[in-house]
Amino acid sequence: MEQVIINNNKIIIHLLEEEEEEEIMYTSNAYRKPISNLFKTREKEGFFKVLINSHLRENKNKFREFFRLNYDQFHFILALIKDDLTLPASNRIKNPISPDEKLAVTLRYLATGESFRSLSFAFRISHSYISVIVKDTLSTLKKHLMPIFLPDISTIDLNKKASEFWTKWNFPNCVLAIDGKHVRIRCPEKTGSLFFNFKDYFSIVMLAMVDANYKFIVIDVGSFGREGDSGIFLKSAVGQQILDGSFGFPDKKQLPGSDKVLPHVIVGDEAFRLHPNIMKPYTRQSARHDKSKAVFNYRLSRARRVTENAFGLLSQVFRVFYQPINIDPMTCDDLIVVACCLHNLLREAYLEENGQAFFEERDSSTTLQTNNLIPITRGGGFTNAEGFLVRDSFKDFFNNEGSVSWQEDK
């Protein structure tokens, strides 16, 4: 079954999974498949009854290992989505699956990336209905978590973000770092080469802006894998806001210990266009012959690596990113957004007893899963003349008033 939606002059092909179609057939009057004895024992022998309710609720560490969230975080999220996921009992389904069990299935899928068939044996729910549960739960989670953990950029104190970048990464007037990744997916049916990227596999593009503490501040999800680097940024809502001046950057500010007054910027790699508010490195060839440019590239790379760390932590906690994601593209968009919201929840140590961010000890050693999260292609398109002047001013600052002793060794 295929549904075509036109939105902002872009045709988005939305495909229902075969498993979901099977579930539609299963619930129709024309097709009633006998219920397996395996699923009839769900309330007595399923994961939710035997493992989660009987054992994990009494062991905080094991509960977190299983769901990636602690007990309080789980029930905080459950309270947000419970009403939307509760189904009334009927003559045919006297004991419908509860919202907390639906949340458990979805979180376990995010944490492991197990196939729906594998989860069906554990939770004693048919794999076709698990696909429906995951789709509905992710959509509901996105609706309720985004306003809390991915609020509108206008509500963010960018002056505070700039202060954190200077304190932690020695880059003044930097509010955020930007990067994009191809999230690997299984080829959706009847989409041709829309999702086929330059690395010869199928993907959905995620564009993200990250703060100095590895938190996702702005994300844009859903571009086709075949689309080009700078084109993805230019068509995104946040890219258009930056280029037309409506993004909401703080006023120009004097650099620490210097008389230079420069605009606030976002740092990125070669994939993005140079702009007064977007800094990218000098080309490798020019930096090879000019030590001052090499120093600028090092300082920018040091600030920009927060994006790589954020993506690395995201895939380290939610192992669904360790293999191609095998769900329809629209649901995959919701999955990526929800994963980023949960990542921010963990980074903020929300409802943590000791206030310590989850997996913080892994920050320095986290590596990206290179087979499933690939950078967008290089080459940032057109540049802005004023952007050259701003970049040169930062370069002079890093080589004079803003120099640090250890940059000479890089």
Side-chain angles (χ1 to χ4, degrees):
M1 181 177 180
E2 182 176 297
Q3 179 181 359
V4 179
I5 304 171
I6 300 179
N7 184 16
N8 295 328
N9 298 323
K10 171 183 173 183
I11 297 180
I12 303 174
I13 299 180
H14 175 38
L15 297 164
L16 297 177
E17 296 179 80
E18 290 182 3
E19 292 181 348
E20 295 182 18
E21 291 180 343
E22 179 182 333
E23 179 62 21
I24 293 172
M25 293 176 61
Y26 175 73
T27 55
S28 68
N29 292 327
Y31 182 82
R32 286 286 178 88
K33 188 176 180 180
I35 300 176
S36 170
N37 290 331
L38 179 69
F39 304 135
K40 290 180 180 179
T41 60
R42 173 178 59 85
E43 295 182 9
K44 295 181 179 180
E45 300 177 1
F47 252 20
F48 193 71
K49 172 64 177 177
V50 176
L51 179 63
I52 299 173
N53 283 338
S54 300
H55 297 284
L56 295 185
R57 292 185 187 277
E58 301 174 359
N59 190 319
K60 294 181 179 180
N61 292 332
K62 294 301 180 184
F63 188 96
R64 159 159 276 171
E65 288 178 15
F66 191 83
F67 289 120
R68 301 300 192 259
L69 304 178
N70 67 30
Y71 186 82
D72 293 333
Q73 291 166 343
F74 180 94
H75 282 274
F76 165 74
I77 293 175
L78 178 62
L80 295 175
I81 66 175
K82 187 173 183 178
D83 292 340
D84 290 347
L85 295 181
T86 300
L87 295 178
S90 64
N91 291 333
R92 184 167 179 269
I93 305 176
K94 296 182 179 180
N95 297 308
I97 297 175
S98 62
D100 46 346
E101 188 166 1
K102 292 179 180 179
L103 179 59
V105 171
T106 304
L107 290 178
R108 188 59 181 167
Y109 173 63
L110 288 173
T112 64
E114 288 185 66
S115 68
F116 292 161
R117 289 187 182 272
S118 175
L119 291 171
S120 72
F121 287 107
F123 284 90
R124 305 296 176 92
I125 304 172
S126 70
H127 68 275
S128 56
Y129 193 55
I130 284 181
S131 70
V132 176
I133 289 174
V134 170
K135 176 182 178 180
D136 292 344
T137 306
L138 287 174
S139 176
T140 306
L141 285 170
K142 176 183 175 181
K143 181 177 71 173
H144 290 284
L145 293 182
M146 278 195 71
I148 301 174
F149 298 107
L150 276 174
D152 188 85
I153 187 65
S154 61
T155 65
I156 305 295
D157 185 356
L158 294 181
N159 279 305
K160 181 180 178 181
K161 299 299 180 185
S163 176
E164 291 173 349
F165 263 102
W166 171 243
T167 302
K168 293 188 174 184
W169 306 111
N170 306 107
F171 202 111
N173 288 22
C174 175
V175 294
L176 298 169
I178 187 171
D179 200 1
K181 296 293 179 185
H182 287 275
V183 179
R184 189 165 188 161
I185 63 173
R186 291 288 181 90
C187 175
E189 292 185 356
K190 302 177 184 178
T191 57
S193 60
L194 280 176
F195 294 94
F196 196 68
N197 66 28
F198 73 105
K199 286 289 187 178
D200 295 336
Y201 66 77
F202 298 89
S203 65
I204 288 175
V205 178
M206 170 188 176
L207 195 67
M209 292 187 183
V210 180
D211 70 5
N213 299 307
Y214 312 137
K215 284 177 53 182
F216 293 104
I217 303 302
V218 179
I219 62 173
D220 183 272
V221 179
S223 297
F224 299 126
R226 68 176 295 182
E227 297 185 54
D229 41 17
S230 58
I232 294 172
F233 172 73
L234 292 176
K235 77 167 190 177
S236 67
V238 67
Q240 294 174 6
Q241 290 176 2
I242 291 175
L243 298 180
D244 65 19
S246 62
F247 182 77
F249 285 100
D251 295 334
K252 292 183 178 181
K253 186 177 179 181
Q254 185 174 337
L255 299 184
S258 171
D259 57 356
K260 291 184 174 65
V261 178
L262 294 179
H264 286 79
V265 299
I266 295 171
V267 294
D269 58 17
E270 300 93 333
F272 301 94
R273 61 187 298 179
L274 188 63
H275 182 271
N277 297 115
I278 303 176
M279 291 293 100
K280 60 183 287 185
Y282 290 96
T283 63
R284 294 183 181 181
Q285 183 176 2
S286 63
R288 190 178 296 116
H289 301 290
D290 188 334
K291 182 63 179 296
S292 63
K293 292 182 178 180
V295 168
F296 171 86
N297 283 2
Y298 165 68
R299 294 285 288 271
L300 182 141
S301 177
R302 189 169 185 271
R304 193 192 63 79
R305 73 178 182 180
V306 297
T307 58
E308 298 293 340
N309 289 346
F311 287 125
L313 286 166
L314 183 71
S315 59
Q316 185 81 350
V317 177
F318 300 107
R319 302 295 178 96
V320 68
F321 295 105
Y322 270 34
Q323 60 272 315
I325 301 175
N326 190 21
I327 54 180
D328 77 89
M330 298 292 284
T331 305
C332 188
D333 291 349
D334 291 345
L335 182 150
I336 296 171
V337 173
V338 170
C340 291
C341 290
L342 295 177
H343 168 91
N344 285 355
L345 179 150
L346 296 174
R347 293 304 306 166
E348 292 177 6
Y350 192 77
L351 296 177
E352 296 280 4
E353 293 182 1
N354 56 6
Q356 186 75 7
F358 184 43
F359 283 164
E360 187 166 7
E361 69 277 5
R362 301 190 183 188
D363 288 359
S364 60
S365 60
T366 298
T367 57
L368 200 62
Q369 291 302 302
T370 55
N371 292 330
N372 299 299
L373 287 177
I374 298 294
I376 57 179
T377 53
R378 299 296 184 248
F382 298 104
T383 56
N384 182 291
E386 187 180 350
F388 284 105
L389 299 177
V390 174
R391 183 169 66 176
D392 287 341
S393 296
F394 274 110
K395 179 197 69 174
D396 295 339
F397 172 77
F398 290 143
N399 284 276
N400 295 289
E401 307 98 313
S403 64
V404 291
S405 60
W406 31 264
Q407 73 186 22
E408 302 300 327
D409 300 328
K410 301 298 178 183

